[in-house]
Amino acid sequence: MKWDSRLYDKSQAFVSEYGNELISFIPLNKQQCILDLGCGTGDLTQKLSEISSCIIGIDASKEMIRAAKKKYPYLNFEVMDACHLQWKNQFDVVFSNAVFHWIADQERLLKGIYAALKNKGKLVCEFGASGNISQIEKAYGLVLESSSKEYVNPFYFPTVEEYSALLQTAGFKIEKIYDYDRPTPLPDGKDGLRKWMMQFFTDRLSMYDEARQMVIFENVEKILEKKMFDGTKWTADYRRIRVIAHK
Ligand code: BEZ
């Protein structure tokens, strides 16, 4: 997946803003070591550094890590695939906001996180739950089907039951797991939904030229306008799953 770090900081700053609440689930202890998994441009890594003297942010995107290092040169960031963690008994907390739904191999991800945590170490994460962005996905699917293109949903949005089973299989003890609706207002006024698609659907849009992409955006907007646009802003139908679990 190709990320645009400038667009991310300008039009998707809400992703990190929502992550602030998740940080409140981390016990306060300045000595703890924290891994920020999927740190993007580093805004939450910076917040986490206020409660930890030992922090590293990783992301699979070189572009995101370059931007994070530029913004926060005094913090540790590394380009790393979340399914290839090499750490053993290193972290008190693995934190992750809005990342797991991009990862296909959840068994491998959880196995790596479990190994990286110290005994009793915590996984604190939140990502898209079953039903997340389902109206946007449905509208996008309809638009592609109408031009005879196959529609594939690339995201992993589990139910609480499904994810609880995966966590337990990986060895975690679950402290909290729940899902909830989080309707999410998008910035950029009437362009909010297309800016969102430009960032998050890049891979799926890259086979179309710019003119064709504009037609896709207009058609998706037409389908969703009544439900999601109030005349000034778009509100996306986010659903979240929140997990607090320990080794
Ligand atoms: C999210 O839930 O954060 C999300 C999921 C898929 C695409 C973009 C955002």
Side-chain angles (χ1 to χ4, degrees):
M1 166 87 181
K2 196 165 173 336
W3 290 91
D4 180 337
S5 63
R6 278 180 197 220
L7 180 61
Y8 189 79
D9 276 351
K10 188 178 164 290
S11 294
Q12 282 97 37
F14 67 87
V15 176
S16 304
E17 283 155 18
Y18 278 109
N20 282 321
E21 193 198 321
L22 191 62
I23 293 181
S24 67
F25 289 90
I26 300 177
L28 289 178
N29 169 11
K30 195 77 179 149
Q31 306 311 315
Q32 65 193 331
C33 280
I34 303 182
L35 171 64
D36 183 7
L37 190 151
C39 61
T41 60
D43 291 351
L44 289 174
T45 321
Q46 195 279 329
K47 285 266 155 55
L48 290 164
S49 72
E50 292 167 10
I51 56 163
S52 162
S53 51
C54 160
I55 170 101
I56 176 161
I58 61 162
D59 204 288
S61 160
K62 281 190 201 146
E63 157 80 353
M64 289 297 208
I65 291 295
R66 200 179 305 122
K69 284 184 171 169
K70 201 165 168 201
K71 277 163 84 177
Y72 306 109
Y74 47 91
L75 294 177
N76 282 326
F77 294 104
E78 262 183 53
V79 178
M80 197 182 292
D81 183 329
C83 286
H84 292 99
L85 305 182
Q86 301 296 330
W87 288 289
K88 301 276 172 278
N89 303 313
Q90 191 87 19
F91 296 101
D92 299 283
V93 174
V94 173
F95 174 90
S96 184
N97 178 54
V99 174
F100 282 20
H101 47 246
W102 296 100
I103 298 173
D105 192 345
Q106 292 287 321
E107 281 90 356
R108 188 161 179 179
L109 170 70
L110 289 177
K111 196 171 167 205
I113 293 173
Y114 190 87
L117 283 169
K118 293 179 185 167
N119 196 22
K120 305 272 188 226
K122 271 184 201 285
L123 168 62
V124 175
C125 69
E126 180 168 302
F127 57 103
S130 170
N132 190 41
I133 60 164
S134 62
Q135 305 212 49
I136 300 177
E137 284 283 303
K138 196 169 156 205
Y140 189 74
L142 283 172
V143 170
L144 288 201
E145 273 166 26
S146 69
S147 56
S148 311
K149 291 279 187 265
E150 197 198 349
Y151 167 73
V152 184
N153 180 345
F155 304 115
Y156 176 69
F157 298 141
T159 62
V160 164
E161 293 71 29
E162 199 179 326
Y163 214 67
S164 299
L166 276 182
L167 285 162
Q168 279 158 349
T169 303
F172 284 97
K173 294 178 188 66
I174 297 171
E175 293 174 28
K176 278 189 210 314
I177 183 164
Y178 53 91
D179 57 2
Y180 64 98
D181 291 337
R182 199 199 69 198
T184 300
L186 304 178
D188 301 312
K190 66 176 176 33
D191 292 333
L193 186 59
R194 61 179 62 197
K195 289 265 171 70
W196 184 94
M197 285 190 275
M198 278 176 198
Q199 177 71 277
F200 294 122
F201 287 2
T202 32
D203 283 0
R204 302 150 98 191
L205 288 163
S206 59
M207 72 275 264
Y208 305 110
D209 62 27
E210 223 170 279
R212 180 76 197 126
Q213 290 187 13
M214 291 305 139
V215 174
I216 293 175
F217 295 152
E218 276 161 24
N219 289 336
V220 172
E221 285 168 353
K222 265 185 215 145
I223 296 174
L224 293 173
E225 201 169 19
K226 280 211 176 73
K227 293 177 197 150
M228 291 190 179
F229 188 62
D230 67 3
T232 53
K233 66 172 182 318
W234 289 89
T235 299
D237 56 335
Y238 276 42
R239 297 199 73 246
R240 276 8 224 165
I241 180 164
R242 185 170 276 179
V243 173
I244 318 291
H246 68 262
K247 185 165 178 177

